[in-house]
Amino acid sequence: MAAAEAGLRARAEQLGGYVVSVQTSGSADNLHSTISFRVPAARFEEALTGVEGLARKLLSRSVSGDDVTEEFVDLGSRLRNL
């Protein structure tokens, strides 16, 4: 488990990203980890392909994103006004 986590951290960093959180539970014989990481949008598919191979067994996968268009436009307007 530790090797997979280290591999994921290294892969995320190679792609310009980082690990947000790690949650591990279970016993030594049956560990379960949930790892959240972020990478730039341009490297998204590459990240998914690369990290799925690190797990011994993939039970589920969740992918999500946030639309930050409104915040980006708002900040741009504020900067122009300054």
Side-chain angles (χ1 to χ4, degrees):
M1 183 66 72
E5 183 182 330
L8 191 140
R9 284 182 187 278
R11 187 68 177 138
E13 289 176 9
Q14 288 173 348
L15 297 171
Y18 57 95
V19 171
V20 176
S21 67
V22 178
Q23 298 173 349
T24 302
S25 61
S27 64
D29 296 335
N30 190 21
L31 285 176
H32 168 84
S33 284
T34 300
I35 302 173
S36 298
F37 64 98
R38 295 190 177 164
V39 294
R43 311 293 297 271
F44 179 72
E45 289 299 326
E46 186 179 355
L48 284 182
T49 303
V51 300
E52 284 181 351
L54 296 173
R56 189 177 314 154
K57 184 177 183 181
L58 183 64
L59 300 175
S60 68
R61 179 174 109 169
S62 174
V63 178
S64 64
D66 295 320
D67 183 1
V68 295
T69 305
E70 186 175 316
E71 290 86 354
F72 180 79
V73 171
D74 183 53
L75 289 175
S77 296
R78 287 182 186 191
L79 286 173
R80 280 192 300 280
N81 288 334
L82 287 175

